[in-house]
Structures are given as structure tokens and as C-alpha cells.
Amino acid sequence: MFVGDTSRIAASLELRQAGAGAPLVLIHGIQGTADAWSPVLPHLLRRRCVAPNLPGRGLSPRWSAAETRTHDAYYHIDHYADLVHALLHGLRSRHDGPVALAGWSMGVSVILSLLARHGQAGIDRIVLVSGTACAVPGAVWFRGESAREVAEEAHARARRLGLTAVADADAVAASWASVRAADLRTAAQAVTVPALVIHGEADDQCPLGHGLWLANHLRASRWMPLPGVGHAALSQATTTVGEAMRAFLEA
């Protein structure tokens, strides 16, 4: 079902797991790691929560010249989508039931890419937090072009968003290039699974209109704006987001 290197890389991803029940896969943002979900995790433990570190984060693999993909393709949201799809396939085979997906920031782009590339079969619900179907114009996470420029911005951004564990600078730069070039609006309009769209009204990195667009164009969505909350919704509105996710996933 999957090409060999996709299966190999997916099997080597570092996973954070907690809880029990039907699987919930939690996809982190562009600069963060699986740790980004730690604040809301206590609210979600009636699900088997699986939070992977995508390549370039934590103990997950890094690109090398031996890889079949180029550096930029390795850290592309489409590659991330393929890896998460491989992970879902394994979870569904062991759980014998559907899986839910949640993404924060870049994680939203990864989920939309996954649905576009692999379909919606076996996925029962999705949660999209602080994300976009099309970053340009309006969503600006980084302004630099080179890994060095992005790394300099990333240090300040990590402090601003309260990130304690961060991705490698070259992975961030390549990931941002792929997000910036992606237009996933057609993919979003084809989504039929129930979706909860959560977005901070004070988000200065992915403005509120991006979340509102998703809520208006997904076919079965619930819209939840967060007054006074910025891009770091998972840490800035932990109880509100966690309880909303729990209720939605258990409905």
C-alpha cells in the first residue's frame, strides 16, 4: 500500500502516546513538536492519543543524502501527510475502527493534504486549530527565505508561542516553503467528515479569516472562535480547547 521508504520512515517516527479507546492522532505545528499538545492532553484521555514527531523534530529521523527524496521534499507537508496516513493505516488495523485527527497550525495543512491525497475512509472526525487552507495571502509564520533567517526568527517565535521543544531550523524553512505554496481550498471543500474548527480571534500569524473560511466551506463543521486568544490556542486557552475537543470527539 505504501512505498518502502514511506513505511520505513513512518515506522521510525517518535510517538507520544497516552489514554485509551479509539485512536486520536495529534499533529503538531511547523516549529513545534508533539509536546505542543501536552497542555490539552489531560482532557483527551478517553481516546488513545498518538502524537508523532514529524521528521526534523525530537527523536524522529532527519534528511540525509541517502534518502530518495530531496531535502525540501522530505520536509514537505505532502510527505508529512503520507507518513501520517501510513501511521493511520497501522492504527486502524490494530484498533479495527475509525481514527480521529487533530491538527494545530501546520498540522491543519497536513490533515488537508492527507485527505486530498488519500481520501477520508476510516477517519470519523477532524479538529482544525489555528490553521489555514491557503496561507497566502495573510498567514505569515516566517518572513525569512534561508534556513539561517528562519532560525533567527524561530527563536523569537518560540518564546512568543511558549514552545519549549522546537524543530530543526532547516526542517522549519522547508516546511514553511511548502505551506506557503500550498492551496488546499479545493481539498477542504470536499471534506465531508464532521469537523471542529477552532481559531483565536487575536491570531496575528494566521488571521481569524482563515479559520472562518474553513468553517464556512467544510461541509459538516462546527465553528469555535476564541476571543482574545492568539496563535498558541493550545496553551492560551487550554481548558476551553481541551473540553471543546473532548465533547466534539465524544458526541
Side-chain angles (χ1 to χ4, degrees), residues 2-16:
F2 306 104
V3 297
D5 64 333
T6 298
S7 296
R8 171 181 58 81
I9 298 168
S12 65
L13 294 177
E14 180 186 14
L15 303 177
R16 307 289 177 84

Side-chain angles (χ1 to χ4, degrees), residues 149-173:
E149 291 171 332
V150 170
E152 291 173 355
E153 291 183 68
H155 290 304
R157 187 176 186 269
R159 289 193 299 271
R160 200 162 56 245
L161 297 180
L163 301 175
T164 56
V166 295
D168 298 349
D170 65 318
V172 173

Side-chain angles (χ1 to χ4, degrees), residues 31-176:
Q31 189 184 355
T33 67
D35 289 349
W37 290 97
S38 296
V40 299
L41 202 58
H43 301 272
L44 306 176
L45 296 180
R46 293 181 186 175
R47 287 264 187 165
R48 180 187 174 191
C49 297
V50 180
N53 271 326
L54 295 172
R57 287 93 176 160
L59 299 178
S60 288
R62 269 69 176 170
W63 179 83
S64 75
E67 293 293 339
T68 58
R69 292 173 177 81
T70 66
H71 175 275
D72 288 355
Y74 193 84
Y75 294 122
H76 195 286
I77 57 170
D78 289 348
H79 183 216
Y80 296 158
D82 292 346
L83 294 175
V84 174
H85 180 58
L87 176 61
L88 294 183
H89 178 71
L91 288 171
R92 282 197 298 262
S93 65
R94 292 190 295 273
H95 174 70
D96 192 27
V99 178
L101 283 170
W104 171 61
S105 192
M106 182 193 73
V108 172
S109 303
V110 173
I111 289 173
L112 294 177
S113 175
L114 184 156
L115 297 176
R117 293 167 69 81
H118 301 287
Q120 304 169 56
I123 298 171
D124 62 349
R125 290 173 181 264
I126 59 173
V127 180
L128 309 178
V129 185
S130 307
T132 181
C134 187
V136 178
V140 179
W141 300 337
F142 299 98
R143 298 184 183 278
E145 297 292 338
S146 69
R148 181 185 59 79
E149 291 171 332
V150 170
E152 291 173 355
E153 291 183 68
H155 290 304
R157 187 176 186 269
R159 289 193 299 271
R160 200 162 56 245
L161 297 180
L163 301 175
T164 56
V166 295
D168 298 349
D170 65 318
V172 173
S175 299
W176 171 233

Side-chain angles (χ1 to χ4, degrees), residues 210-230:
H210 289 257
L212 186 58
W213 188 95
L214 284 168
N216 287 338
H217 289 84
L218 295 169
R219 299 187 190 182
S221 69
R222 174 186 167 191
W223 171 233
M224 184 176 176
L226 301 171
V229 174

